[in-house]
Amino acid sequence: DAGVIQSPRHEVTEMGQEVTLRCKPISGHDYLFWYRQTMMRGLELLIYFNNNVPIDDSGMPEDRFSAKMPNASFSTLKIQPSEPRDSAVYFCASSLWAGRSTDTQYFGPGTRLTVL
Amino acid sequence: QQQVKQSPQSLIVQKGGISIINCAYENTAFDYFPWYQQFPGKGPALLIAIRPDVSEKKEGRFTISFNKSAKQFSLHIMDSQPGDSATYFCAVSFSGGKLIFGQGTELSVKP
């Protein structure tokens, strides 16, 4: 398996622009997670899905952020409008169904976002 | 509030030495305690994990020690190697798979 796939790997944009990050989870995994990593705040969970349904979006920082999972093999995280403080590495992760806390989360390589 | 506190923030160890990273948590409802390893430019990857009904788990050179009464757990890396140089994150989890990560420890193993 190719693992979790994220695109783009790097994104540089200007403040006010819309940014869309993409994720393809591991086939057969029914849980998908979006994280943000910064030096100041570490790894933060933004939102996660189970069977394409958002379960917990309490980590989404504000209304400028939105996430969708239209099918089992694709998810997007959108920031509109983007701001310099959104600059971070965004990770997508997936895990098998069952919802047990022991399920391993497999992380993608991340998207490094820079907002100028 | 910070639900899991990790220390130290950075650690330098000589090759062959023991690396020790500590984490403390607040909520006794957490039921799974994994450690993730992250190399530069990569996503975190599960290294080793423990459940609260066990006090120690060992996998090769990596050991988790768990103290339920103190609400603390630690990662020990025996015979540390330069290839172990990475950032290590402890995490805590409720049933449902939601992970809460510590702030991370940047480990550097000097040859």
Side-chain angles (χ1 to χ4, degrees):
Chain A
D1 200 315
V4 175
I5 299 172
Q6 291 187 247
S7 65
R9 293 295 311 277
H10 301 274
E11 177 80 32
V12 180
T13 190
E14 293 191 347
M15 182 173 63
Q17 296 298 306
E18 178 180 295
V19 175
T20 299
L21 311 181
R22 297 172 175 79
C23 175
K24 176 179 168 55
I26 293 172
S27 178
H29 283 192
D30 287 337
Y31 279 78
L32 184 139
F33 305 83
W34 281 101
Y35 291 90
R36 178 172 68 175
Q37 185 174 36
T38 61
M39 289 296 294
M40 288 298 295
R41 300 177 67 88
L43 262 169
E44 303 173 275
L45 176 65
L46 300 177
I47 185 172
Y48 77 96
F49 295 82
N50 178 23
N51 289 324
N52 313 337
V53 176
I55 301 301
D56 184 346
D57 65 354
S58 60
M60 296 287 262
E62 47 196 280
D63 291 346
R64 298 184 296 106
F65 287 69
S66 62
K68 294 182 179 180
M69 193 166 185
N71 58 63
S73 60
F74 183 66
S75 177
T76 60
L77 178 68
K78 186 175 294 187
I79 308 173
Q80 166 64 17
S82 59
E83 296 182 4
R85 59 194 170 115
D86 301 330
S87 297
V89 180
Y90 290 81
F91 288 102
C92 175
S94 70
S95 66
L96 285 170
W97 184 78
R100 298 166 306 189
S101 60
T102 52
D103 282 343
T104 300
Q105 291 188 22
Y106 296 86
F107 282 73
T111 295
R112 181 174 294 277
L113 173 65
T114 302
V115 183
L116 303 174
Chain B
Q1 74 279 20
Q2 199 172 353
Q3 298 197 56
V4 57
K5 295 181 180 179
Q6 184 173 343
S7 63
Q9 193 171 353
S10 62
L11 182 62
I12 299 174
V13 174
Q14 289 297 123
K15 178 182 175 181
I18 301 173
S19 304
I20 302 174
I21 305 170
N22 301 297
C23 280
Y25 61 96
E26 299 284 331
N27 193 330
T28 55
F30 295 130
D31 59 359
Y32 183 56
F33 303 87
W35 285 89
Y36 278 74
Q37 180 188 54
Q38 184 180 26
F39 292 104
K42 305 290 186 182
L46 179 66
L47 181 64
I48 186 172
I50 198 168
R51 293 183 61 85
D53 52 350
V54 177
S55 61
E56 185 175 283
K57 183 173 181 180
K58 184 176 180 180
E59 291 184 359
R61 296 184 294 108
F62 301 90
T63 300
I64 298 179
S65 296
F66 184 79
N67 186 330
K68 189 174 182 178
S69 60
K71 293 187 286 185
Q72 295 176 348
F73 61 110
S74 60
L75 175 69
H76 296 237
I77 305 174
M78 310 299 288
D79 187 26
S80 299
Q81 299 296 312
D84 297 330
S85 297
T87 301
Y88 293 81
F89 294 91
C90 64
V92 294
S93 179
F94 295 107
S95 295
K98 180 175 176 177
L99 287 172
I100 302 169
F101 285 90
Q103 286 296 99
T105 296
E106 190 172 348
L107 172 66
S108 178
V109 181
K110 299 299 184 184

